[in-house]
Amino acid sequence: MLVRQRDWSATSLGPIDSWPAELRVTLANILNSPVAKVVMWGPEHIMLYNDSYRAVAGDRHPAALGSPVATAFPEVWDWNRAVLE
C-alpha cells in the first residue's frame, strides 16, 4: 500500500506518528476495506485512499494520493467543496 510507503513528513500532514488518533483510525478503516474509500483530511482536504480507490482515481493515481482534492480533481472541486463545507 502506497500510504504506508510514502514519506508523509514531507507533506502538510507530517509524519504518520504525529497524526491525530481520529485520522489513524479512519485511515485504518479505509485501508482495510475491500470497497473503494477516500477521506479528504484537514483544511487542504488531503486525499488518502485505499487500493480499491485507485480504479476511481485512474490515471491521476498515484499523484492524487496525498494531494489536495482541489489539485487532484479540479473539475469536481466546486461540488466537493460544497459537500465538505
Side-chain angles (χ1 to χ4, degrees):
M1 291 183 188
L2 289 178
V3 168
R4 293 186 177 122
Q5 297 170 358
R6 184 165 179 165
D7 177 12
W8 293 99
S9 64
T11 73
S12 62
L13 295 177
I16 289 177
D17 293 346
S18 70
W19 291 1
E22 297 86 358
L23 176 55
R24 286 184 274 134
V25 168
T26 299
L27 190 57
N29 173 280
I30 287 170
L31 295 179
N32 291 308
S33 175
V35 176
K37 291 186 177 184
V38 61
V39 64
M40 298 166 201
W41 190 265
E44 296 178 13
H45 308 293
I46 301 295
M47 295 181 65
L48 300 162
Y49 53 83
N50 62 8
D51 287 345
S52 296
Y53 192 84
R54 291 165 56 175
V56 176
D59 62 357
R60 297 168 201 242
H61 176 77
L65 183 66
S67 295
V69 68
T71 303
F73 291 91
E75 69 280 8
V76 295
W77 173 236
D78 286 339
W79 182 84
N80 277 308
R81 180 178 53 232
V83 170
L84 293 166
E85 287 175 356

